Amino acid sequence: AHHKRKTLSSVVLSSSPMQMATHSNQIPKDLVWEILAKLSVKSLKRFSCVHKSWLNLLENSDFKSIYYENLKSKTAYSSSLLLWRYFHDERSDRHIYENEVYLLSGERYENMVTLVFPSLIEEIGFDRIIDCVNGIICHYKKAGLNVKIGLWNLKTDEHKIIPPSVITNDPDFDAEVEIHGFGYDNVNDDYKVIQHICYCHNEFYQYEPALANWQIYSLKNNCWKKLNLEMTEKRGFGEGYVTYLNGVCHWWGGDKNGKKNCHIEISILGEVGVKESWVKLFTVGPFPYIWHPMVMGNKCDIIFFMGNENHELASFDVISGKVIHNISIKIDLFGTWIYKKNLLSFTTGIN
């Protein structure tokens, strides 16, 4: 894809550092910053060797403000925030269980539309969301091995239920299915779902790693296949532990215990597999208590669980470094995804 794009990065990198240093002395700093603020973090990382003053731009508070405001303007008005939440109201005599999905918009997420999912399995569980990619929501219901996964284009109301995979039964073990990701494979023009099958001994309640396996579903082929590889399975229960970005599915494979009085460092990986390419963007906090993963909103903010008695969510502005407002939605579990409308059919386009 690089040879098709004649962007600022390709032009600048074709010049020598000495040439850039000469030109930059003739260009006002404000104009240079305005141009650089439109680039990705990965490109900024690559440009750090071009000019000494560009080496640690993201550590400059003035440049960071310009950069984040520009980033905010790209997403805030072209997308909505998809929110799934589960809440068990124990204060009620009837123990009310609330499981709902909303589209949030507005400066303070004050505009709320409740969504009704297409039916998967009426008699069991509740709908959960794996991810939202290109306007397509991947959701599921499960009860033991009875797992139903659906793809739903909210704008066109197109819906497809994915066929079940083949799971090997063992008389001494109980199999469990855990959905790990949904994303778009731009190389093969295909949407895919990843799941992990593990086996727990039905008497000793111990997992048997030798029996565990990974499976991947292809929408283009409409079938599952086994993956012959070893990966760390996700540790968290609930949404927010899985996310898709730029052709890669990620999940949280570490400790899921709650933390008190924490600071959170947010970094971006410039190049997959290169440890040295991590760039720290900012540090946020301290937060009184963190149990759920933090997730990005669509206004250059972070949505997080406040951990107070009201079970409410809040929005943390990464530019100002402050909690800008509470979101008056009560949760026990939650997940958010940036949603953009998609008028294309995901089945017709693939086929």
Side-chain angles (χ1 to χ4, degrees), residues 74-331:
K74 291 180 180 179
T75 59
Y77 304 104
S78 62
S79 62
S80 301
L81 193 68
L82 180 69
L83 169 70
W84 172 88
R85 66 124 187 176
Y86 170 80
F87 178 64
H88 176 202
D89 190 352
E90 296 179 346
R91 295 173 298 180
S92 170
D93 294 337
R94 294 179 296 168
H95 283 262
I96 298 175
Y97 296 88
E98 299 175 352
N99 171 54
E100 295 170 309
V101 180
Y102 307 100
L103 270 185
L104 306 179
S105 59
E107 188 64 28
R108 300 171 61 90
Y109 300 113
E110 68 275 10
N111 303 322
M112 184 185 306
V113 177
T114 303
L115 304 181
V116 179
F117 275 88
S119 175
L120 286 175
I121 313 173
E122 293 289 351
E123 65 275 12
I124 67 165
F126 49 83
D127 279 287
R128 307 182 70 113
I129 295 178
I130 302 171
D131 215 323
C132 179
V133 178
N134 298 337
I136 300 171
I137 301 172
C138 184
H139 62 117
Y140 72 102
K141 276 185 175 182
K142 61 176 284 189
L145 291 180
N146 190 3
V147 180
K148 293 290 185 181
I149 305 173
L151 303 180
W152 180 33
N153 186 324
L154 176 59
K155 181 62 179 178
T156 64
D157 201 31
E158 180 182 18
H159 187 248
K160 173 181 175 63
I161 296 180
I162 292 176
S165 64
V166 177
I167 300 175
T168 303
N169 292 319
D170 189 295
D172 296 325
F173 293 86
D174 295 324
E176 296 180 12
V177 179
E178 194 67 48
I179 313 300
H180 271 64
F182 165 68
Y184 175 66
D185 177 357
N186 60 343
V187 175
N188 298 297
D189 185 27
D190 196 5
Y191 287 95
K192 296 181 177 180
V193 178
I194 301 172
Q195 69 180 17
H196 181 248
I197 315 298
C198 60
Y199 292 82
C200 180
H201 198 282
N202 49 33
E203 181 179 353
F204 302 108
Y205 302 102
Q206 294 180 339
Y207 287 95
E208 178 49 64
L211 296 176
N213 63 89
W214 293 87
Q215 298 179 347
I216 188 167
Y217 167 81
S218 164
L219 176 62
K220 179 179 288 188
N221 299 321
N222 196 34
C223 66
W224 293 86
K225 74 174 183 179
K226 187 175 180 180
L227 295 175
N228 295 315
L229 47 78
E230 293 184 4
M231 294 187 291
T232 302
E233 68 272 18
K234 70 185 179 78
R235 302 297 184 184
F237 172 77
E239 277 56 24
Y241 293 86
V242 173
T243 190
Y244 163 88
L245 180 66
N246 297 335
V248 181
C249 289
H250 310 264
W251 51 83
W252 187 1
D255 186 8
K256 65 177 181 178
N257 294 324
K259 309 293 183 183
K260 295 183 178 180
N261 299 320
C262 290
H263 286 81
I264 302 296
E265 291 186 352
I266 298 180
S267 304
I268 189 169
L269 183 63
E271 185 176 349
V272 176
V274 181
K275 182 179 179 180
E276 294 75 20
S277 66
W278 279 105
V279 178
K280 186 173 74 171
L281 300 183
F282 40 78
T283 301
V284 297
F287 296 96
Y289 192 79
I290 297 175
W291 177 265
H292 300 276
M294 293 180 166
V295 291
M296 294 300 297
N298 66 334
K299 307 178 191 304
C300 208
D301 60 342
I302 297 172
I303 309 299
F304 71 100
F305 177 49
M306 296 186 65
N308 58 17
E309 61 182 9
N310 293 323
H311 291 258
E312 290 181 332
L313 295 174
S315 174
F316 182 91
D317 191 297
V318 300
I319 299 174
S320 65
K322 298 179 180 178
V323 176
I324 49 179
H325 57 266
N326 295 352
I327 303 175
S328 55
I329 297 177
K330 295 183 177 181
I331 66 101

Side-chain angles (χ1 to χ4, degrees), residues 63-78:
F63 178 78
K64 279 185 11 179
S65 296
I66 298 173
Y67 189 82
Y68 294 144
E69 285 292 352
N70 184 67
L71 180 63
K72 181 177 179 179
S73 67
K74 291 180 180 179
T75 59
Y77 304 104
S78 62

